DNA sequence: CTCCCTTATTCTGTAATGCTCAT
DNA sequence: CATGAGCATTACAGAATAAGGGA
């Protein structure tokens, strides 16, 4: 049963199987406890479609909102334009200067030149109609109802304030001293700043690593004055403890700030966001993802990174390239500074970039996940995955046939693809020497797998053990087809540790082949496809229609978890895991005790009610019964979260939720089972997946007919339920 | 009910990867 | 084919914030 999670016979690593199997009984147990309170039954049975209930339940923002609500429930009518539209920074300018724009730009709200029928019909940007806090929600731009532009350009108009540069260094107070060889030493500002970076990390593992320390020392010495360089030669003689203590104290003080201070700080921060956090793209205001330039610091590579500890230098305006329209207000560099360059390249999505000094890579400032540019791409990604579904059977046949090919390179390609499909491995590009030694499928080396003709009663078992992205360990034992096994033996013949398993293959070759099988197909599409498919299948399998909401959510999380396991999304067990688990357990025990007690009381009341039979006594009994039910429900919820927590100990759900699971599957599930969307997506997630929440109905099927995104919403299930 | 502290969740930061295109 | 630039996506850790729970 749990095997249903796997794309094919047994894709899930063993852990997953164990987890799912081990907990299925629990699940059944819960689903059979019929103690739902009346309201629950109602929500599910009664008229108003669940969705409506949901909308009402939208958690209210906070204090301010309360005030407003008190004053008067604002009427439903969508308040037109005026206020809601404020945010467009320089609309006037935009229209003014925007002559190269084609015709159809007469509507204030549809600045996109090619907006077709969809845009015309679309209710323009609708703000939050009811609640009207002064910090109003940004009006939603339903870009998904517009026709996608097909010229490959990302924008016509782009205006922004440029990135926010890190504050200059402020030297430490004089009493905070660095000691060398037991003696206080006043460092130059430059050397002190870098010393501070190290001091901050004093109680981190990094500072106990040799590579980190030697890289640090080397770079630190580069910023020292010649005198300092002469003196400071040995890290072991450096004493950063005063600096460290200073920073700790600073943190402490920050935490203990008064309410007023905190509020002021928050406002200041919001002002910064208001100024730098937004851009105007084709007449719409959209949030920028990372508008702050990365401040200087010590490079923290993951795993055994050869460059860990190196100094990440301060980025100055002179390093930064700005990208924006010619006719926009060009961002102003800080006083006395210049940008490296200002260009207007509408073929890319970034607003600014610079080259980072550790790896020589370019870093970009881009829009945030809720933006059209990102959302459209995301949507497209899932449509590609759905197209794969249409042809995946053929592709599988195809690579299975290739297991027998006369050509080694074809066989290797086939086996690699088999792994990518079955195990959701990453493509595995080659890497440079100066990066951490991690691999993906194509870059697997012979030492990363072990072949077992037989293991634990199974034939042809391959065990994997390697470090993948972010140096996360991948360990798995998989039973494979005999042909795959024999091929692997062949590939490994006459090879030794360090040799590539697939020596006639790399990602370009593989992707080129894939592209011939299906337009737009690359190795990573399989990951997306198998992840999303697994979610949908697991949801179907695990959800019980008549479960109360918490049980449904547990099912959802389990389905999500199956995907996370498939994709090997791990996390370090939270430091306080055991403790908090024990706490939870105690709560559960307490609750059980309460229930025991309540049960006893209930029984005696029942007796009293029956024999004596006064109205009062009956009432008392009824009351107790209800209380008891409530308690039981609370207990079920607690136990639910306990299993959920336990199962989640070292598994991270976020990554798959955010990057691999077609959000329409989740939206459809919520609609189908009357689960409020907030139970599955938090606020930012709802923003990111607005397009899906808006477009998917309960009938959405990931494995159904893909949509043609470029021609927009003229197929599929034209859902129009508003559901925020 | 408020306050304070602890724990859980969300958000931010930025590293690490995938993939295409030009040379 | 090999290599590297360019840019976009995916990834986890840690900081920040919110929520829970006891006094």
């Amino acid at each position: 049963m749990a095997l249903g999670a796997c794309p094919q016979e047994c894709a899930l690593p063993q852990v997953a199987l164990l987890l799912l199997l081990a907990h299925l009984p629990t699940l059944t147990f819960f689903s059979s406890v019929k103690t739902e309170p009346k309201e629950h039954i109602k929500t599910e049975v009664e008229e108003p479609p669940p969705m409506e209930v949901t909308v009402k339940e939208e958690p209210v923002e906070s204090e301010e909102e309360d005030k407003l609500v008190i004053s008067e429930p604002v009427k439903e009518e969508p308040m037109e334009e005026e206020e809601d539209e404020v945010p467009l920074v320089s609309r006037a300018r935009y229209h003014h200067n925007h002559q190269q724009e084609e015709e159809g730009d007469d509507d204030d709200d549809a600045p996109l030149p090619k907006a077709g029928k969809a845009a015309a019909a679309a209710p323009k940007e609708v703000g939050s109609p009811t609640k009207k806090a002064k910090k109003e929600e940004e009006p939603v731009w339903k870009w998904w109802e517009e026709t996608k532009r097909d010229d490959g350009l990302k924008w016509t108009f782009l205006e922004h304030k440029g990135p926010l540069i890190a504050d200059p260094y402020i030297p430490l107070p004089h009493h905070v001293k660095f000691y060398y060889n037991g003696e206080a030493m006043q460092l130059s500002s430059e050397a002190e700043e870098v010393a501070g970076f190290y001091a901050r990390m004093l109680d981190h593992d990094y500072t106990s690593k040799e590579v980190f320390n030697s890289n640090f020392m080397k770079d630190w010495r580069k910023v020292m004055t010649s005198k300092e360089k002469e003196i400071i030669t040995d890290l072991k003689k450096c004493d950063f403890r005063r600096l460290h203590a200073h920073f700790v104290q600073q943190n402490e003080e920050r935490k203990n700030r008064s309410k007023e201070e905190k509020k002021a700080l928050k406002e200041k921060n919001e002002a910064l966001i208001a100024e730098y956090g937004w851009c105007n793209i084709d007449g719409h205001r959209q949030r920028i993802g990372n508008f702050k330039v990365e401040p200087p610091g010590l490079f923290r590579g993951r795993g055994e990174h050869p460059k860990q500890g190196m100094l990440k230098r301060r980025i100055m305006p002179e390093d930064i390239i700005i990208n924006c329209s010619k006719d926009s207000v060009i961002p102003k560099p800080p006083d006395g500074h210049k940008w490296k360059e200002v260009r207007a390249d509408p073929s890319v999505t970034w607003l600014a970039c610079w080259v980072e000094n550790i790896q020589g890579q370019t870093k970009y400032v881009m829009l945030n996940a809720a933006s059209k540019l990102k959302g459209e791409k995301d949507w497209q990604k899932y449509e590609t995955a759905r197209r794969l579904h249409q042809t995946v059977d053929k592709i599988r046949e195809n690579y299975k046939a290739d297991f027998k090919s006369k050509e080694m390179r074809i066989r290797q390609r086939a086996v690699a693809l088999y792994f990518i499909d079955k195990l959701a491995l990453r493509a595995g590009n080659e890497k440079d020497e100066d990066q951490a030694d991690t691999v993906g499928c194509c870059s697997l080396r012979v030492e990363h797998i072990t072949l077992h003709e037989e293991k634990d009663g199974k034939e042809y078992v391959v065990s994997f053990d390697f470090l993948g992205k972010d140096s996360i360990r991948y360990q798995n034992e998989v039973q494979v087809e005999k042909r795959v096994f024999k091929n692997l033996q062949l590939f490994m013949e006459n090879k030794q540790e360090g040799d590539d398993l697939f020596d006639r293959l790399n990602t370009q070759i593989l992707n080129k082949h894939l592209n011939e099988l299906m337009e737009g197909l690359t190795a990573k599409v399989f990951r997306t496809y198998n992840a999303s498919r697994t979610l949908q299948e697991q949801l179907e399998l695990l959800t019980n229609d008549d479960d109360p909401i918490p049980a449904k959510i547990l099912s959802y999380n389990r389905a999500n978890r199956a995907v996370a396991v498939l994709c090997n999304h791990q996390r370090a067990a939270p430091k306080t895991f055991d403790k908090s688990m024990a706490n939870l357990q105690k709560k559960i025990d307490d609750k059980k005790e309460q229930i025991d007690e309540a049960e006893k009381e209930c029984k005696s009341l029942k007796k009293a009610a029956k024999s004596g039979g006064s109205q009062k006594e009956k009432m008392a009994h009824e009351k107790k019964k209800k209380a008891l039910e409530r308690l039981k429900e609370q207990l079920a919820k607690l136990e639910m979260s306990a299993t959920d927590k336990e199962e989640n100990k070292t598994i991270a759900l976020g990554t798959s939720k955010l990057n691999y699971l077609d959000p329409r599957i989740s939206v459809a599930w919520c609609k189908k089972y009357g689960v409020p969307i907030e139970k599955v997506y938090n606020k930012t997630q709802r923003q990111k997946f607005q397009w899906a929440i808006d477009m998917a109905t309960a009938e959405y099927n990931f494995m159904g007919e893909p949509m043609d995104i470029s021609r927009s919403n003229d197929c599929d299930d034209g859902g129009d339920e508003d559901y925020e």
Side-chain angles (χ1 to χ4, degrees):
Chain A
M1 223 225 236
L3 285 175
C6 327
Q8 295 175 276
E9 316 96 80
C10 82
L12 283 183
Q14 282 196 331
V15 218
L17 299 181
L18 288 177
L19 273 177
L20 289 170
L21 287 172
H23 291 285
L24 276 176
T26 331
L27 184 76
T28 349
F29 166 72
F30 281 119
S31 53
S32 64
V33 177
K34 298 257 157 103
T35 48
E36 313 96 279
K38 295 237 166 84
E39 308 111 58
H40 279 304
I41 297 170
K42 270 194 189 158
T43 0
E44 299 198 341
V45 175
E46 264 188 7
E47 248 323 80
M51 288 314 70
E52 295 205 7
V53 175
T54 305
V55 174
K56 262 191 256 158
E57 274 178 14
E58 167 92 5
V60 183
E61 202 74 304
S62 58
E63 337 126 292
E64 281 147 295
E65 304 238 39
D66 287 317
K67 284 184 215 147
L68 285 159
V69 172
I70 293 166
S71 65
E72 201 184 70
V74 186
K75 273 169 243 148
E76 271 298 319
E77 4 171 345
M79 27 162 32
E80 285 303 301
E81 265 89 300
E82 23 144 82
E83 281 243 53
D84 257 70
E85 290 285 286
V86 221
L88 294 192
V89 207
S90 50
R91 171 187 293 273
R93 274 198 54 84
Y94 169 68
H95 279 279
H96 221 201
N97 298 328
H98 221 235
Q99 278 121 2
Q100 86 267 41
E101 191 90 312
E102 291 140 71
E103 350 78 286
D105 188 23
D106 44 16
D107 186 345
D108 248 21
D109 293 304
L112 279 185
K114 294 194 179 156
K117 50 141 201 199
K124 4 192 142 161
E125 323 202 341
V126 182
S128 47
T130 40
K131 294 157 269 176
K132 180 74 192 225
K134 51 178 190 241
K135 296 182 273 176
E136 55 217 281
E137 300 275 303
E138 211 47 30
V140 179
W141 171 20
K142 297 199 174 187
W143 49 261
W144 52 91
E145 292 178 352
E146 298 174 7
T147 309
K148 189 176 173 268
R149 70 193 291 166
D150 56 358
D151 53 7
L153 298 184
K154 309 297 163 74
W155 45 264
T156 309
F157 180 79
L158 177 63
E159 180 173 84
H160 58 92
K161 289 276 187 162
L164 183 59
I165 312 278
D167 290 334
Y169 179 66
I170 301 168
L172 295 171
H174 279 297
H175 67 273
V176 182
K177 288 228 166 60
F178 165 76
Y179 283 71
Y180 189 75
N181 214 0
E183 284 181 45
M185 186 174 168
Q186 177 63 50
L187 296 173
S188 66
S189 173
E190 289 77 11
E192 184 192 81
E193 178 180 19
V194 178
F197 296 151
Y198 191 90
R200 283 172 201 277
M201 299 176 69
L202 228 45
D203 44 21
H204 196 287
D205 279 354
Y206 275 117
T207 56
S208 64
K209 294 196 182 175
E210 225 177 286
V211 184
F212 187 92
N213 286 336
S214 86
N215 281 334
F216 162 72
M217 200 57 189
K218 206 162 139 202
D219 278 5
W220 186 27
R221 285 175 53 81
K222 285 184 200 156
V223 302
M224 290 178 189
T225 64
S226 49
K227 259 189 199 163
E228 288 166 337
K229 228 183 270 183
E230 222 168 90
I231 301 173
I232 304 172
T233 53
D234 184 1
L235 184 59
K236 288 196 199 76
K237 294 183 180 162
C238 294
D239 181 353
F240 300 96
R241 282 177 301 179
R242 313 291 169 101
L243 307 200
H244 179 76
H246 172 71
F247 295 129
V248 169
Q249 189 196 339
Q250 242 179 11
N251 280 340
E252 213 54 42
E253 281 166 13
R254 198 174 321 153
K255 245 192 288 178
N256 295 332
R257 271 184 298 230
S258 71
K259 261 189 206 158
E260 293 73 33
E261 284 173 306
K262 277 183 184 165
K263 197 178 163 209
L265 229 65
K266 197 178 169 191
E267 276 166 12
K268 215 168 163 187
N269 198 32
E270 277 166 0
L272 277 184
I273 294 176
E275 177 164 12
Y276 293 94
W278 299 85
C279 74
N280 180 340
I281 182 162
D282 291 332
H284 295 275
R285 233 166 86 88
Q286 301 238 284
R287 276 298 299 276
I288 297 169
N290 56 329
F291 60 88
K292 289 177 185 158
V293 168
E294 295 174 19
L298 301 182
F299 176 74
R300 302 157 76 120
R302 317 261 166 84
E304 294 304 312
H305 196 117
K307 294 191 169 183
Q308 66 192 100
M310 285 175 63
L311 174 63
K312 215 170 73 162
R313 68 170 230 282
R314 178 177 293 274
I315 302 300
M316 301 302 280
E318 286 70 16
D319 299 310
I320 298 173
I321 301 175
I322 299 289
N323 191 28
C324 63
S325 335
K326 286 207 177 85
D327 58 348
S328 70
V329 178
I330 309 293
K332 196 165 85 50
D335 285 344
H337 289 281
K338 285 189 204 155
W339 302 119
K340 180 178 183 182
E341 183 192 332
V342 177
R343 66 170 75 153
D345 180 357
S347 71
V348 294
T349 66
W350 51 269
L351 316 189
C353 76
W354 68 89
V355 174
E356 150 268 349
N357 66 303
I358 304 288
Q359 328 225 43
Q361 285 168 345
T362 316
K363 299 266 187 163
Y364 302 91
V365 170
M366 291 181 195
L367 295 185
N368 92 341
S371 66
K372 168 189 161 164
L373 242 32
K374 295 283 190 184
E376 214 164 54
K377 208 67 200 295
D378 210 34
W379 180 17
Q380 198 169 48
K381 172 179 76 185
Y382 293 113
E383 292 308 325
T384 306
R386 298 175 79 198
R387 282 196 291 125
L388 172 57
H389 178 68
Q390 306 296 306
T391 169
V392 76
D393 291 342
K394 263 193 212 157
I395 291 175
R396 285 172 178 163
E397 274 172 38
N398 188 306
Y399 69 63
K400 284 177 187 178
D402 284 347
F403 290 160
K404 300 179 269 188
S405 169
K406 297 187 294 277
E407 287 185 81
M408 183 62 118
R409 56 178 196 97
I410 305 283
R411 288 196 186 201
Q412 292 194 355
R413 195 179 69 191
V415 172
L417 187 48
Y418 171 81
F419 284 162
I420 285 171
D421 184 21
K422 184 187 176 77
L423 304 173
L425 299 189
R426 295 188 186 83
N429 283 292
E430 297 97 39
K431 296 181 74 182
D432 291 340
E433 293 296 305
D434 57 0
Q435 294 173 289
D437 176 23
T438 65
V439 299
C441 184
C442 293
S443 48
L444 281 170
R445 300 193 299 265
V446 290
E447 67 265 31
H448 295 135
I449 64 170
T450 323
L451 304 179
H452 311 272
E453 293 273 357
E454 202 212 299
K455 177 150 198 196
D456 302 330
K458 288 186 203 153
E459 279 189 308
Y460 308 124
V461 172
V462 183
S463 46
F464 293 80
D465 191 345
F466 61 88
L467 296 182
K469 182 175 180 178
D470 287 322
S471 293
I472 297 293
R473 190 170 178 189
Y474 182 95
Q475 280 181 290
N476 196 5
E477 294 196 340
V478 199
Q479 186 169 25
V480 300
E481 294 182 21
K482 181 174 177 185
R483 276 220 173 75
V484 169
F485 193 86
K486 295 292 174 192
N487 270 319
L488 288 170
Q489 285 180 322
L490 183 67
F491 303 160
M492 289 167 82
E493 259 173 32
N494 303 317
K495 284 187 190 168
Q496 44 183 319
E497 189 148 315
D499 290 345
D500 285 337
L501 175 63
F502 303 115
D503 53 307
R504 311 260 169 111
L505 183 72
N506 61 38
T507 53
Q508 292 96 291
I509 296 173
L510 179 64
N511 281 336
K512 192 162 170 270
H513 173 240
L514 290 176
N515 199 256
E516 282 160 10
L517 297 179
M518 183 192 110
E519 191 194 339
L521 185 60
T522 61
K524 80 195 265 285
V525 178
F526 282 89
R527 237 166 114 81
T528 312
Y529 167 63
N530 283 315
S532 285
R533 175 180 177 160
T534 300
L535 178 74
Q536 183 170 306
E537 288 175 346
Q538 286 295 297
L539 283 176
E540 272 164 31
L541 199 67
L542 299 174
T543 315
N544 292 309
D545 211 346
D546 44 271
D547 270 353
I549 299 224
K552 283 181 178 151
I553 291 168
L554 178 61
S555 301
Y556 180 89
N557 286 338
R558 285 204 166 128
N560 191 165
R561 198 144 45 231
V563 176
V565 170
L566 174 69
C567 295
N568 199 40
H569 290 141
Q570 298 194 25
R571 63 166 185 177
K575 287 181 201 86
T576 55
F577 184 86
D578 289 340
K579 204 175 84 188
S580 72
M581 203 65 209
N583 280 347
L584 230 180
Q585 192 55 49
K586 184 173 178 304
K587 272 194 217 159
I588 289 177
D589 294 344
D590 289 353
K591 193 64 76 182
K592 279 181 179 162
E593 218 164 282
Q594 281 180 32
I595 287 179
D596 275 353
E597 219 165 287
E599 240 157 15
K600 273 181 213 152
E601 289 175 43
C602 194
K603 264 184 195 156
S604 66
L605 281 170
K606 191 176 178 182
K607 243 182 218 165
K610 268 198 173 164
S611 53
S614 85
Q615 201 58 29
K616 234 183 196 169
E617 280 167 328
K618 274 183 187 163
M619 292 267 286
H621 175 231
E622 284 304 308
K623 218 171 166 186
K624 200 76 215 173
K625 231 163 80 179
K626 278 202 183 130
L628 182 61
E629 268 177 24
R630 216 174 308 128
L631 283 174
K632 280 188 175 167
E633 192 199 328
Q634 283 167 351
L635 175 66
K637 222 170 171 174
L638 282 174
E639 295 193 303
M640 209 78 73
S641 63
T643 33
D644 209 31
K645 195 178 185 134
E646 182 67 48
E647 290 176 25
N648 246 5
K649 185 171 177 179
T650 60
I651 296 175
L653 300 185
T655 303
S656 52
K657 201 182 222 180
L658 245 44
N659 300 302
Y660 287 100
L661 302 178
D662 183 342
R664 291 166 295 183
I665 299 170
S666 300
V667 172
W669 180 83
C670 283
K671 291 189 176 177
K672 185 170 173 194
Y673 294 105
V675 176
I677 195 82
E678 314 63 76
K679 302 279 184 192
V680 165
Y681 289 141
N682 68 30
K683 190 166 149 202
T684 31
Q685 293 168 160
R686 291 201 297 278
Q687 281 167 11
K688 166 167 180 171
F689 297 132
Q690 190 61 58
W691 60 273
I693 293 171
D694 188 61
M695 114 176 35
T697 67
E699 284 73 44
Y700 176 77
N701 179 8
F702 175 72
M703 268 100 93
E705 200 54 35
M707 302 168 72
D708 183 349
I709 177 165
S710 61
R711 254 181 304 139
S712 200
N713 62 340
D714 49 8
C715 53
D716 210 74
D717 34 41
D720 52 359
E721 289 169 79
D722 259 353
Y723 181 130
E724 247 169 276

